Amino acid sequence: QVQLVESGGGLVEAGGSLRLSCAASGRTFSTYDMGCMGWFRQAPGKEREFVAAVTWNDNTYYADSMKGRFTISRNNAKNTVYLEMNSLKPEDTAVYYCAARLSPSGSYSRADYDYWGQGTQVTVSS
């Protein structure tokens, strides 16, 4: 059973930074097992949307609105993926979810991810 546990959310002022972490257990990071890890977010009343993804060999993918502000990375030895968020805006307020895909290929689609964490709240005040 795969478990993904997010941490690092909280309240921050606009322009500030946060670093989210997602610790995975149950399977180890490898080329195919959790070969692609992603972050999604869901604001109240909105659909869950793609934020960023990183493959086992460190190829990265970002939603256009996050490019230049967010950085995704992974530590395969620690089975952990990170999301560094800078220059935060009030519109970044959402629950952020970690997701794992049993494939080495990156994907922007939430339908392609096999496992999900419970989410961590990020609130950006203006």
Side-chain angles (χ1 to χ4, degrees), residues 6 20 40-44 48-49 51 92-97 118-123:
E6 302 97 335
L20 305 183
F40 290 74
R41 70 184 186 185
Q42 188 166 16
R48 190 170 299 187
E49 64 174 349
V51 175
D92 293 318
T93 295
V95 177
Y96 283 70
Y97 295 90
Q118 293 299 307
T120 185
Q121 177 71 46
V122 171
T123 303

Side-chain angles (χ1 to χ4, degrees), residues 3-119:
Q3 278 195 316
L4 303 175
V5 179
E6 302 97 335
S7 61
L11 174 64
V12 64
E13 292 184 350
S17 300
L18 280 175
R19 188 193 196 204
L20 305 183
S21 299
C22 172
S25 61
R27 297 176 81 144
T28 56
F29 281 14
S30 68
T31 305
Y32 286 91
D33 279 4
M34 295 190 281
C36 175
M37 299 293 294
W39 287 95
F40 290 74
R41 70 184 186 185
Q42 188 166 16
K46 294 188 176 181
E47 295 285 322
R48 190 170 299 187
E49 64 174 349
F50 174 80
V51 175
V54 59
T55 63
W56 66 277
N57 57 348
D58 292 329
N59 289 327
T60 55
Y61 305 79
Y62 294 96
D64 287 344
S65 62
M66 287 72 164
K67 286 181 182 177
R69 297 192 301 126
F70 291 8
T71 302
I72 189 170
S73 61
R74 62 191 288 166
N75 184 324
N76 290 339
K78 294 184 178 180
N79 276 17
T80 301
V81 62
Y82 305 96
L83 184 68
E84 184 78 33
M85 304 185 294
N86 298 311
S87 302
L88 283 163
K89 307 173 183 179
E91 51 264 44
D92 293 318
T93 295
V95 177
Y96 283 70
Y97 295 90
C98 176
R101 184 177 188 218
L102 299 180
S103 165
S105 300
S107 174
Y108 296 88
S109 173
R110 65 182 183 182
D112 289 337
Y113 289 80
D114 301 285
Y115 299 101
W116 293 84
Q118 293 299 307

